[in-house]
Amino acid sequence: MGVITWTNISNPNFPNLNSLYFVDSDFGYVVGDSGYVLRTTDGGLNWETTQLDSTINLNSIHFSNPYTGFIVGGFGSIYKTTNVGKCIGLI
């Protein structure tokens, strides 16, 4: 059995990050406090950031298929994307 190692691939200076979801081996998302959404298209080597709303903590993210995803946040907020996270709108 080989040795398992972890590599720090990013050191974001963000508030708490609360949920991680990978659609496949390349596309992944992280959501966190203050409305932050991080998106990777290369398996986590690089991350793009978006801030949906600085007053809402985002608690969980899930994709029902490779294109359609949902984010649940504070104050009963629910966000939806239908294009792999390129555009995320409040439901």
Side-chain angles (χ1 to χ4, degrees):
M1 181 179 235
V3 176
I4 298 173
T5 61
W6 288 87
T7 303
N8 184 2
I9 57 174
S10 175
N11 189 12
N13 188 15
F14 297 108
N16 292 333
L17 301 175
N18 300 320
S19 182
L20 166 75
Y21 191 87
F22 269 80
V23 175
D24 58 29
S25 62
D26 291 320
F27 287 90
Y29 303 86
V30 176
V31 296
D33 291 353
S34 301
Y36 276 102
V37 177
L38 287 76
R39 177 177 180 253
T40 183
T41 59
D42 59 8
L45 296 175
N46 297 288
W47 294 87
E48 304 167 14
T49 62
T50 302
Q51 192 173 15
L52 298 181
D53 183 335
S54 64
T55 63
I56 294 179
N57 292 340
L58 303 176
N59 303 316
S60 185
I61 185 167
H62 179 78
F63 276 74
S64 56
N65 62 53
Y67 297 97
T68 305
F70 297 89
I71 297 171
V72 177
F75 307 110
S77 59
I78 301 172
Y79 295 85
K80 180 181 180 181
T81 182
T82 56
N83 58 2
V84 195
K86 292 179 184 173
C87 181
I88 301 171
L90 186 63
I91 294 179

